[in-house]
Amino acid sequence: MLQFSMGALLLLPLWFGGLAIGEISKDFSQCLDFFYKRTPPQGITAAGYDPICQRYKNQYRFASLYQRQHRAPLYSAYILSPADGNRPDVSWMYEPQLESRTADPNMKPFPIPQPLYWRVKENQAVFADYKDSGYTRGHLNPSMHQRTMDDRTATFTLTNIVPQRKGSNAGTWNSLEREVLGRKAFCRGQMYVITGTMPYRSGAHQINERVSVPEYMWSAYCCPSYRSDLPGYMKPFFPTYAAVGRNDRKSGEEIVPVDPNVNAEKQGYDVRRMSLETLEGILNTRLRMPVSLFKGHCKNKE
């Protein structure tokens, strides 16, 4: 995800077709229902990325676009459904098929059996990468956005996780996740969410010299069918809305300005709310790719 001095040409060619083997394919063919109009984001394309249909207990739970070299996802896509219980206390998991396409298609909990450990570690993050790193394990698909206990448990895979500063993860970004959760009450149907990361322009920013650290987090949702009696203050947030959050206090302010009046723990981890079109413009400039997150900009009602 990093090393971008040559631009996004190293990041992100069109989606390729082809037969899927297990749960990792080239086109999310097994889990297109997690995308609006069954269409993954257009323009975000690259060799070296693995579309993962995240599977737990033999059911698909959400989708992630994963980069082996940097051992982190670029984004996760899911359908938001408010949790019916608390955050689960579960073991973190890994994706066996990143080690072998013939492996079990279900995510598996750590610890990894010793004969497999070094092969798994080559292709993805492991629990030890985050220990004493100064970063928290930041969910792209947060557990609070998933209804059942099994759906929430499935979010605790490191293929859905990026290194995130505590001030963002437990502070400003958490507040955004709760805001989006509250807007689900105004949706009459499904709310499609894509949450991802934005790399540094150049240079390696990693934990343990293995896992890439994002400079920014971003998220957007699509609610194609919503209440006709929206309160006036809520109308700007439908059918789409988006945000970008800082994950580095030292970053410039051209994308997200810093509010000097917030408390010290949150300062520098500001989140800027914006339209879908504004976010796509930022991604287009930053990644140098014509990014379109939702087909037709989510303007066709279901």
Side-chain angles (χ1 to χ4, degrees), residues 1 7 27 64-65 69 82-83 95 111 117 127 141 153 160 183-184 197 199 214 219 234 244 287 291 295:
M1 259 170 37
D27 55 7
S64 298
L65 187 64
Q69 180 182 355
E95 173 54 63
Y117 181 81
F127 191 79
N141 174 9
T153 297
N160 178 49
R183 292 178 195 158
K184 179 62 177 72
T197 61
S219 186
M234 194 59 63
V244 175
L287 305 181
V291 178
K295 186 175 182 179

Side-chain angles (χ1 to χ4, degrees), residues 152-167:
R152 294 196 297 279
T153 297
T155 68
F156 286 82
T157 170
L158 292 186
T159 53
N160 178 49
I161 298 299
V162 297
Q164 189 175 8
R165 289 294 189 184
K166 182 178 179 181

Side-chain angles (χ1 to χ4, degrees), residues 11 21 48 104 127 148 151 159 161 180 182 186 192 217 246 298:
L11 171 70
I21 301 176
D104 191 318
F127 191 79
T148 70
D151 287 338
T159 53
I161 298 299
V180 173
F186 297 92
Y192 299 87
M217 310 283 288
R246 300 168 61 94
C298 189

Side-chain angles (χ1 to χ4, degrees), residues 41-286:
Q42 301 297 291
I44 301 178
T45 53
Y49 278 80
D50 289 290
I52 300 176
C53 291
Q54 301 277 14
R55 181 164 163 162
Y56 177 68
K57 290 189 176 180
N58 293 316
Q59 290 187 23
Y60 301 120
R61 309 292 174 168
F62 61 102
S64 298
L65 187 64
Y66 195 81
Q67 223 285 355
R68 296 169 187 256
Q69 180 182 355
H70 302 297
R71 301 175 184 89
L74 178 66
Y75 67 72
S76 287
Y78 60 94
I79 295 173
L80 188 151
S81 184
D84 64 3
N86 296 325
R87 178 186 174 101
D89 182 13
V90 297
S91 297
W92 288 91
M93 294 182 279
Y94 67 97
E95 173 54 63
Q97 290 204 343
L98 286 173
E99 184 274 322
S100 170
R101 295 293 179 95
T102 61
D104 191 318
N106 292 285
M107 58 184 73
K108 296 292 184 183
F110 288 97
I112 303 169
Q114 192 59 38
L116 290 176
Y117 181 81
W118 293 106
R119 283 185 288 168
V120 170
K121 187 178 180 182
E122 181 68 21
N123 292 305
Q124 58 192 291
V126 295
F127 191 79
D129 286 325
Y130 285 84
K131 186 177 181 181
D132 300 323
S133 68
Y135 289 86
T136 65
R137 292 177 290 269
H139 284 69
L140 297 187
N141 174 9
S143 65
M144 74 169 78
H145 285 188
Q146 296 297 317
R147 184 174 67 86
T148 70
M149 179 60 75
D150 284 346
D151 287 338
R152 294 196 297 279
T153 297
T155 68
F156 286 82
T157 170
L158 292 186
T159 53
N160 178 49
I161 298 299
V162 297
Q164 189 175 8
R165 289 294 189 184
K166 182 178 179 181
S168 170
N169 193 7
T172 54
W173 198 253
N174 180 269
S175 296
L176 175 74
E177 290 171 340
R178 293 185 182 278
E179 283 179 25
V180 173
L181 187 63
R183 292 178 195 158
K184 179 62 177 72
F186 297 92
C187 263
R188 295 177 58 190
Q190 292 178 322
M191 176 181 276
Y192 299 87
V193 182
I194 303 176
T195 298
T197 61
M198 204 180 303
Y200 287 83
R201 285 190 180 276
S202 63
H205 292 72
Q206 299 175 320
I207 58 172
N208 202 24
E209 297 183 354
R210 284 174 34 85
V211 183
S212 293
V213 177
E215 185 174 12
Y216 298 95
M217 310 283 288
W218 57 264
S219 186
Y221 65 77
C222 161
C223 176
S225 180
Y226 50 91
R227 283 172 39 180
S228 59
D229 61 342
L230 282 177
Y233 71 90
M234 194 59 63
K235 289 181 179 180
F237 304 114
F238 290 90
T240 62
Y241 209 63
V244 175
R246 300 168 61 94
N247 195 40
D248 188 335
R249 283 178 160 167
K250 297 180 181 179
S251 294
E253 299 187 48
E254 66 278 5
I255 295 177
V256 183
V258 173
D259 183 352
N261 299 314
V262 300
N263 67 53
E265 288 186 356
K266 295 181 180 180
Q267 194 171 94
Y269 299 118
D270 304 73
V271 174
R272 175 187 167 193
R273 281 76 171 170
M274 62 187 66
S275 69
L276 173 64
E277 290 77 10
T278 299
L279 171 61
E280 290 180 339
I282 291 171
L283 294 176
N284 291 348
T285 299
R286 192 67 180 241

Side-chain angles (χ1 to χ4, degrees), residues 9-28:
L9 294 177
L10 298 179
L11 171 70
L12 300 168
L14 286 170
W15 291 103
F16 295 99
L19 295 176
I21 301 176
E23 309 316 300
I24 297 177
S25 69
K26 293 184 182 297
D27 55 7
F28 290 115

